[in-house]
Amino acid sequence: MHPMLRSTTVLAISAMAAGFLSACATAPSMALERARTAVGTASADPAVARHAALELKQATEALAQANSIWSKTSDEAETNHIAYMAALQAETATNAARARMLAANIRTANSGTAQISLHTEAQTRR
């Protein structure tokens, strides 16, 4: 192999290896990706925005913190911890929204039942 070709090949391989290593070093952690998905899903649900705005805000803030830690320090352990918390908070927001919607539905049903009972009672008195 020609010496010039050999040094060019070694240089190209070295550059590719450095690129792969730097790509691995800056790739987000799996926990961060899961948190992004969880918060995105919760944010896209209108019921969550309506019935669990505070919990959704906490999840969004935790995700922002995890993103910030990752972009500034690439500290995987800290990023994973905060990202995990963000995902849990997103799940909490979704569950809180469901529970509050169910509670509202039960109140509405009870109110309807009470009105029917009053109407029936009034009909019987006539």
Side-chain angles (χ1 to χ4, degrees):
M1 181 180 271
H2 191 273
M4 180 67 130
L5 184 58
R6 184 179 315 148
S7 65
T8 304
T9 303
V10 169
L11 182 60
I13 291 172
S14 297
M16 285 177 22
F20 286 131
L21 289 175
S22 68
C24 291
T26 60
S29 70
M30 290 302 294
L32 187 53
E33 287 301 320
R34 281 191 296 274
R36 288 174 180 164
T37 300
V39 173
T41 300
S43 296
D45 187 341
V48 174
R50 183 171 181 211
H51 296 285
L54 178 61
E55 291 87 348
L56 181 58
K57 181 178 183 262
Q58 292 170 338
T60 303
E61 289 172 351
L63 178 60
Q65 183 182 5
N67 281 323
S68 176
I69 290 168
W70 183 253
S71 68
K72 289 178 183 174
T73 66
S74 295
D75 182 342
E76 191 166 5
E78 184 68 15
T79 300
N80 286 348
H81 173 70
I82 302 299
Y84 176 73
M85 296 305 292
L88 283 180
Q89 288 170 329
E91 185 178 338
T92 299
T94 301
N95 290 335
R98 284 187 191 134
R100 291 173 187 150
M101 284 176 32
L102 289 172
N105 289 343
I106 290 169
R107 282 191 303 274
T108 301
N110 286 340
S111 174
T113 303
Q115 287 178 350
I116 290 170
S117 294
L118 287 174
H119 180 71
T120 305
E121 188 178 311
Q123 290 295 327
T124 348
R125 288 184 187 165
R126 289 185 189 175

